[in-house]
Amino acid sequence: ANGRISSLETASGSIRTDFNSYTSSTNTRLNSIETSTGSLNTFSSSTNNRLNSLESASSSIRTDFNSLIKPIHAPVWRNRLN
């Protein structure tokens, strides 16, 4: 009986070592994925900030352009109405 128990302990110890090795490898891979994902989130946030800045600037340019064009077109419309 002692020999069988000893064999079981040896086998379960080997399985535990394999399992720990597999778990460690999986954790390393998961950490790499999390690091990559964090980097992508930072990039996306930065890109969104730049896009918001471009949208604000283009809106401002559109407003300025419209205010410049309006006086030019106003006499044309008045002439058409008269």
Side-chain angles (χ1 to χ4, degrees), residues 25-63:
S25 171
T26 303
N27 285 343
T28 299
R29 292 174 64 202
L30 180 59
N31 287 339
S32 294
I33 291 170
E34 289 171 339
T35 299
S36 295
T37 302
S39 175
L40 288 172
N41 288 341
T42 300
F43 174 78
S44 295
S45 176
S46 171
T47 302
N48 284 338
N49 289 339
R50 292 176 65 200
L51 179 59
N52 288 339
S53 295
L54 285 171
E55 289 172 338
S56 294
S58 65
S59 175
S60 174
I61 291 168
R62 168 59 61 192
T63 300

